[in-house]
């Protein structure tokens, strides 16, 4: 009886210190992400969600330490959100319906073992879409910035806000949008710079000014579906390519080559940009530029397993030509 009592006390003490440890981490999280909550009830709710996510991250990373998974997780800005809340933030629309696309034709040219367009100065710094479902706009500016660089040898950050506010024929601004279907807008109107049309992460009235346009595009090229060899060739010989993925499993991605059998080509819900590829610890990967700030992943980037259509990365792929 005495021993049982002592053991119970120890359990209580251990869970109290774990609670303490989690509270410290939650405090650090709130500081890092400028979080304030409406009231104590909300704070308690968020702390509870945070602890659930933290436990799940720690379990995953224990598997990583044992060499059983190829990527690490970490606390990201989504750590106080439930999976349902995170899912609601993934708002890429899909089902390409365009007739007027150019199809990519493979050349069969030999490509290098690895490519990183960041090192060629073709990629702008990591951006943050904030609390707005505008991934599609970031994917399109990212690939267009590459195309513009290719043509003009200059890197100019292009305006997502213009797409959110003005490309409303087919898109729903912060409520989501398409990638390929946005390119006809860019073809017709062109894109202003980030500087003249800054990002504010909310739907506003269109204030497009044609005389401030940096570039239009002349066409856009759609790659064959589920053909990662074509994708490899295009990334190597052309530059950054806009792709759609299932992002449901990557909220806590920290580093390494992401691979998860549950990640599905049937649920494309997020637009990103492939800016290179390579191999790490024997695993081939795509180098993916995301729009969730530098606090997520590897300074805002992720390595996605390559050659197995991971998360549907080769389902919907397109790049523009300036
Ligand atoms: C559009 O931009 C030009 C050039 O910067 C400027 O002179 C003009 O006033 C702008 N038009 C509007 C409606 O803001």
């Amino acid at each position: 009886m005495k021993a049982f009592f002592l053991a119970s006390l120890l359990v209580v003490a251990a869970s109290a210190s774990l609670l303490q440890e989690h509270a410290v981490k939650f405090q650090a999280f709130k500081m890092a992400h400028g979080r304030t909550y409406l009231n104590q009830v909300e704070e308690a709710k968020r702390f509870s969600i945070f602890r659930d996510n933290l436990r799940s991250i720690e379990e995953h990373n224990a598997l990583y330490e044992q060499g059983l998974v190829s990527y690490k997780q970490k606390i990201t800005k989504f750590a106080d959100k439930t999976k349902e809340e995170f899912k609601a933030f993934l708002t890429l629309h899909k089902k390409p319906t365009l007739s007027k696309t150019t199809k990519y034709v493979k050349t069969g040219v030999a490509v290098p073992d690895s490519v990183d367009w960041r090192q060629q100065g073709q990629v702008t710094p990591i951006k943050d879409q904030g609390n707005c479902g505008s991934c599609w706009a970031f994917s399109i500016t990212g690939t267009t910035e590459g195309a513009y660089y290719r043509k003009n040898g200059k890197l100019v950050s292009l305006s997502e806000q213009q797409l959110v506010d003005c490309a409303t024929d087919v898109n729903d601004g912060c409520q989501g949008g398409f990638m390929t279907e946005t390119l006809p807008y860019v073809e017709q109107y062109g894109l202003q710079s980030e500087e003249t049309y800054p990002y504010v992460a909310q739907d506003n009235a269109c204030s497009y000014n044609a005389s401030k346009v940096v570039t239009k595009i002349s066409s856009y090229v759609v790659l064959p579906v589920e053909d990662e060899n074509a994708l490899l060739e295009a990334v190597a010989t052309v530059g950054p390519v806009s792709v759609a993925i299932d992002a449901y499993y990557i909220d806590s991605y920290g580093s390494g080559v992401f691979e998860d059998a549950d990640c599905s080509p049937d649920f494309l819900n997020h637009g990103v940009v492939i800016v290179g590829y390579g191999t790490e610890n024997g695993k081939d990967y795509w180098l993916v530029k995301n729009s969730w700030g530098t606090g997520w992943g590897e300074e805002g980037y992720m390595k996605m397993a390559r050659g197995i259509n991971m998360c549907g990365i080769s389902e919907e792929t397109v790049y523009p030509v300036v």
Side-chain angles (χ1 to χ4, degrees):
M1 187 65 202
K2 215 174 197 172
F4 173 76
F5 183 67
L6 192 62
S8 308
L9 260 186
L10 283 174
V11 168
V12 170
S15 66
S17 82
L18 190 62
L19 180 69
Q20 181 65 26
E21 184 194 318
H22 288 181
V24 168
K25 285 186 171 156
F26 187 52
Q27 204 57 38
F29 164 82
K30 287 196 296 175
M31 291 278 281
H33 298 281
R35 286 288 205 289
T36 50
Y37 302 110
L38 228 49
N39 51 45
Q40 283 300 313
V41 175
E42 181 68 10
E43 172 111 11
K45 178 181 156 193
R46 292 297 152 191
F47 181 43
S48 165
I49 295 167
F50 178 85
R51 292 190 77 193
D52 288 344
N53 286 330
L54 190 58
R55 273 189 283 266
S56 154
I57 290 167
E58 283 168 353
E59 277 166 29
H60 176 93
N61 287 347
L63 296 178
Y64 178 82
E65 295 308 328
Q66 295 167 51
L68 297 174
V69 292
S70 57
Y71 75 99
K72 259 182 115 157
Q73 293 188 344
K74 66 177 182 181
I75 295 169
T76 67
K77 65 175 175 177
F78 304 110
D80 65 345
K81 303 246 187 299
T82 63
K83 266 293 186 189
E84 281 310 299
E85 287 168 326
F86 178 64
K87 192 175 175 187
F89 170 72
L90 304 172
T91 54
L92 178 72
H93 297 349
K94 55 168 183 181
K95 198 153 71 67
T97 49
L98 292 176
S99 48
K100 199 184 74 76
T101 55
T102 308
K103 299 243 184 314
Y104 183 79
V105 180
K106 262 193 270 193
T107 64
V109 69
V111 298
D113 288 341
S114 70
V115 164
D116 183 348
W117 286 113
R118 296 176 301 185
Q119 288 166 5
Q120 317 299 317
Q122 279 213 29
V123 183
T124 57
I126 288 289
K127 304 181 188 185
D128 192 343
Q129 67 187 82
N131 217 355
C132 164
S134 52
C135 63
W136 55 277
F138 284 84
S139 180
I140 289 307
T141 56
T143 186
T144 308
E145 285 159 1
Y148 179 75
Y149 179 92
R150 210 146 57 236
K151 181 72 187 291
N152 300 291
K154 271 191 302 190
L155 186 65
V156 178
S157 185
L158 298 173
S159 174
E160 295 79 27
Q161 193 62 43
Q162 181 192 342
L163 293 174
V164 168
D165 295 347
C166 309
T168 48
D169 272 15
V170 290
N171 301 307
D172 301 314
C174 284
Q175 275 62 58
F178 297 93
M179 296 186 307
T180 308
E181 289 76 1
T182 296
L183 289 169
Y185 171 89
V186 182
E187 196 171 8
Q188 187 176 357
Y189 297 97
L191 282 175
Q192 288 185 223
S193 65
E194 198 82 63
E195 203 179 328
T196 70
Y197 206 143
Y199 190 64
V200 294
Q202 63 182 47
D203 294 295
N204 280 341
C206 177
S207 58
Y208 163 76
N209 184 334
S211 67
K212 290 182 179 163
V213 160
V214 174
T215 188
K216 288 186 176 181
I217 59 172
S218 55
S219 63
Y220 40 93
V221 180
V222 172
L223 295 156
V225 172
E226 292 174 10
D227 185 343
E228 286 183 86
N229 291 324
L231 188 53
L232 189 74
E233 191 180 279
V235 172
T237 59
V238 180
V241 173
S242 169
V243 297
I245 57 169
D246 174 8
Y248 186 68
Y249 302 94
I250 68 170
D251 48 342
S252 302
Y253 170 78
S255 59
V257 179
F258 180 88
E259 193 177 337
D260 185 329
D262 290 335
C263 210
S264 169
D266 298 330
F267 298 102
L268 305 177
N269 47 31
H270 188 52
V272 289
V273 194
I274 294 180
V275 298
Y277 60 85
T279 305
E280 185 178 86
N281 300 328
K283 268 196 183 306
D284 291 341
Y285 67 84
W286 294 112
L287 182 61
V288 173
K289 185 187 189 192
N290 202 352
S291 50
W292 294 346
T294 53
W296 177 89
E298 297 187 0
E299 293 293 314
Y301 288 88
M302 97 179 283
K303 298 189 180 104
M304 179 77 91
R306 171 163 59 94
I308 49 176
N309 195 25
M310 184 45 59
C311 303
I313 198 162
S314 58
E315 296 291 330
E316 198 189 324
T317 56
V318 64
Y319 65 84
V321 177
V322 166

